[in-house]
Amino acid sequence: MVSDEVIRDILRQNEAMSGIVDSLGEDEDLFEKGLDSFGSVQLMLALEERFEVEFPDTLLNRRSFSTIRIIRETVGKLSMGAAA
């Protein structure tokens, strides 16, 4: 199951996000809060490892990693697809 808390744990590993993760709402734009392109790649790799999924090229965009809610929904769909 993809939970907000697991996503927050992964975000805490990102230097730019670590100090603010607990105060973020699930719909706040992570890029506006300090996530950059390098950080989004690190986030993607950590999500792939943790949830044993692979982001297809069509999801390698800023929107896919823009909020905790979108990350949770995207990884959830990828997880369901991997289980099928």
Side-chain angles (χ1 to χ4, degrees):
M1 179 178 171
V2 182
S3 71
D4 285 2
E5 193 53 40
V6 173
I7 294 168
R8 289 176 191 278
D9 285 342
I10 292 169
L11 285 169
R12 282 184 194 97
Q13 298 170 20
N14 182 291
E15 187 176 323
M17 304 300 298
S18 63
I20 63 167
V21 170
D22 294 328
S23 66
L24 291 173
E26 69 175 5
D27 292 315
E28 287 191 71
D29 189 313
L30 300 178
F31 291 97
E32 287 180 6
K33 297 297 183 179
L35 187 66
D36 59 15
S37 59
F38 180 70
S40 66
V41 171
Q42 290 178 313
L43 174 59
M44 178 200 68
L45 294 173
L47 291 166
E48 287 183 334
E49 182 176 331
R50 170 62 178 85
F51 294 105
E52 298 180 353
V53 297
E54 185 172 331
F55 283 83
D57 290 346
T58 56
L59 293 177
L60 298 181
N61 57 61
R62 187 178 178 113
R63 185 184 187 293
S64 295
F65 305 98
S66 61
T67 71
I68 291 171
R69 179 191 308 265
I70 290 173
I71 294 168
R72 183 184 67 237
E73 291 172 355
T74 301
V75 174
K77 288 176 187 173
L78 290 172
S79 295
M80 288 176 32

